Amino acid sequence: MLNRKVIMAIADGLGDRPHPLLGGKTPLEYARTPNLDRIASEGINGMMDLIAPGIPVGTDMGHLILFGYQPHHYPGRGPIEALGIGMNVKPGDIIFRCNFATVNENGIVVDRRAGRIREKTDELAQAISGLEVEGGVEIEFMPATEHRAVLILRGPGLSDKVSDSDPKAPNDGKPYHKVEPLDSSEEARRTANILNLVLETAHSILSSHPVNAERIANGKLPANFILTRGAGQMVDIVPVAQKLKINVSCIAGESTVLGVAKLAGYKTFTDSSMTGNIDTDIELKARLAIEEIADNDFVYVHMKAPDVKGHDNEPHEKVRSIELFDHMVGLICQQLPENVYIALAADHSTPCEVGEHTGEPVPIAIAGPSIRRDRILQYNEIDCAEGGLGNISGSDFVRTLHGLLGFVKKQGN
Ligand SMILES: [Zn+2]
């Protein structure tokens, strides 16, 4: 038995389109990426549709697939986010992904991200968590990365079939949405009523909170509202690690990615220096990846910044974030043991000109021991399209890697 292993480096939202500010190149083509290109030239390349051509996926679904699940295992973003930030999640909980947001006195959303608030969200959250609402329903509320947070409704007679209060990007300047039931059940109607009440109460508490008074005094937008989306009910699901008898570690700063990893039964590593943005600690991530591969079959190491820059429509900043990703991968490759494959992937495309996820495929590459090579020399959306892996699904890519490790059963005799 060959003792082979994989480190997969994931650049969130990496895929893009040719951009006029980059001379008609994609940010990945434009960026200087000697380490990614060396992997491409020494290995095998291709393009990957996470589910199927043209279908955009969220970071949660993208990672669910990269971590070895099928799309139908998706439990909803709320439960993933709650797991990611270490909340005590119970089966039956109705869980929402939230943003701290700024609304004016007419309920108009001035900023869906409350000026991308990063400080003192824990103090704001504490003022809301533990609220008591009608019918024995308990509220748990916890901050996540930057302006994000998670809300849990726990109690009898609740449903996840309710709409979002978040008007979604790019709808700053529109009113927030009243939560509506999405089916005719009594549970959905009741949940929508309770959630609307919770959001009103939270608005009133946050509006008079000292943290927001301080923000306004400093010329910052107050985080005076909670926008909810992605309702999901926590389910029982067999972890991938248990099913495949595989030991896996995941290193990431983003709670969504950590949540999917926990769902999959993977060990997770994070640190406050892994910021989910361009100032993340790539030396620490690279060092942890090398340390973790010693005792595991598979290590995932994630970088969020390319996605953030795609959402913000900043092509030159996206280039910079990709060069940082290249540097992190270079640090890993410097110390890569001979029996370890390095795989490159992304969870979806986030083209700058769109500012949202799109269904275009992302480039993939694998280099390492006895890998079949193709003739591709550069890692990008254009060159990898001619690579030896062809255009495959996310599940095909993961199976290919599991196959290299000997985790895929032979069919027939
Ligand atoms: Zn993503």
Side-chain angles (χ1 to χ4, degrees):
M1 180 78 182
L2 301 163
N3 179 28
R4 300 259 162 98
K5 303 177 172 199
V6 173
I7 295 177
M8 184 193 288
I10 302 168
D12 205 296
L14 176 68
D16 212 301
R17 297 174 180 173
H19 201 286
L21 290 179
L22 305 176
K25 292 183 173 180
T26 70
L28 181 56
E29 277 186 289
Y30 189 90
R32 201 181 147 271
T33 54
N35 298 297
L36 307 183
D37 293 343
R38 187 161 36 76
I39 291 167
S41 64
E42 291 178 359
I44 190 162
N45 303 270
M47 296 299 283
M48 170 173 70
D49 291 296
L50 271 296
I51 295 178
I55 301 178
V57 301
T59 292
D60 50 2
M61 179 64 89
H63 283 82
L64 194 81
I65 293 163
L66 290 174
F67 291 170
Y69 283 114
Q70 299 297 321
H72 70 265
H73 292 122
Y74 184 67
R77 184 135 182 177
I80 291 168
E81 200 77 11
L83 283 164
I85 59 172
M87 290 179 95
N88 183 17
V89 176
K90 297 177 180 168
D93 282 356
I94 310 298
I95 312 180
F96 303 84
R97 238 187 127 221
C98 307
N99 275 17
F100 283 103
T102 308
V103 302
N104 69 13
E105 61 281 7
N106 300 319
I108 302 292
V109 179
V110 178
D111 187 341
R112 283 182 66 253
R113 296 164 178 155
R116 280 200 181 271
I117 184 169
R118 284 174 93 157
E119 300 89 24
K120 300 191 179 176
T121 49
D122 51 341
E123 290 180 38
L124 293 171
Q126 274 169 19
I128 295 163
S129 198
L131 280 180
E132 287 177 23
V133 278
E134 61 185 52
V137 175
E138 295 169 34
I139 302 295
E140 276 194 42
F141 187 69
M142 218 168 125
T145 320
E146 298 185 344
H147 55 275
R148 301 176 190 92
V150 174
L151 173 72
I152 297 181
L153 300 184
R154 180 174 297 144
L158 297 174
S159 163
D160 62 355
K161 302 291 182 291
V162 293
S163 64
D164 300 337
S165 61
D166 188 349
K168 304 271 175 70
N171 283 332
D172 286 350
K174 299 264 174 67
Y176 68 84
H177 297 169
K178 189 164 179 282
V179 178
E180 305 282 354
L182 293 176
D183 65 22
S184 57
S185 68
E186 171 58 22
E187 288 81 4
R189 192 194 61 76
R190 180 167 180 264
T191 307
N193 287 343
I194 288 174
L195 185 53
N196 282 319
L197 186 67
V198 168
L199 297 184
E200 274 175 42
T201 310
H203 177 47
S204 149
I205 292 171
L206 292 174
S207 295
S208 59
H209 197 283
V211 166
N212 277 326
E214 190 187 328
R215 286 183 68 79
I216 291 167
N218 292 329
K220 294 178 177 170
L221 291 169
N224 63 7
F225 200 79
I226 299 164
L227 294 172
T228 54
R229 63 185 181 280
Q233 188 159 28
M234 187 57 193
V235 288
D236 278 333
I237 188 167
V238 181
V240 178
Q242 195 179 316
K243 196 173 142 203
L244 293 178
K245 297 184 177 63
I246 183 172
N247 291 313
V248 184
S249 267
C250 174
I251 300 150
E254 201 199 8
S255 53
T256 304
V257 174
L258 295 166
V260 183
K262 284 181 185 165
L263 193 72
Y266 300 165
K267 275 175 285 179
T268 56
F269 290 84
T270 192
D271 188 87
S272 57
S273 67
M274 299 178 191
T275 60
N277 212 318
I278 205 152
D279 53 356
T280 194
D281 188 344
I282 56 166
E283 281 86 8
L284 177 61
K285 284 185 180 177
R287 192 167 74 241
L288 279 173
I290 292 297
E291 279 172 21
E292 280 305 297
I293 202 61
D295 299 324
N296 290 284
D297 304 297
F298 210 122
V299 170
Y300 292 92
V301 55
H302 171 258
M303 184 189 282
K304 184 68 180 172
D307 179 60
V308 174
K309 302 309 176 187
H311 280 289
D312 290 349
N313 188 15
E314 291 181 338
H316 282 289
E317 282 292 288
K318 187 161 180 181
V319 167
R320 197 156 79 88
S321 72
I322 291 167
E323 291 176 347
L324 202 68
F325 178 71
D326 176 79
H327 187 47
M328 180 185 79
V329 170
L331 292 173
I332 292 170
C333 288
Q334 278 172 17
Q335 300 183 66
L336 200 68
E338 278 185 5
N339 63 328
V340 180
Y341 294 99
I342 180 90
L344 303 176
D347 57 342
H348 51 78
S349 294
T350 309
C352 290
E353 71 161 15
V354 184
E356 257 302 335
H357 305 182
T358 65
E360 286 138 312
V362 295
I364 46 174
I366 312 168
S370 311
I371 196 83
R372 292 181 184 177
R373 297 168 69 160
D374 58 26
R375 298 194 171 89
I376 304 305
L377 300 176
Q378 293 187 317
Y379 181 69
N380 60 51
E381 299 92 334
I382 314 302
D383 288 275
C384 289
E386 295 177 36
L389 287 169
N391 199 332
I392 60 178
S393 73
S395 297
D396 290 339
F397 183 51
V398 173
R399 193 184 325 103
T400 299
L401 292 167
H402 286 168
L404 289 170
L405 302 188
F407 284 112
V408 183
K409 266 194 208 151
K410 180 168 73 175
Q411 304 286 306
N413 191 10

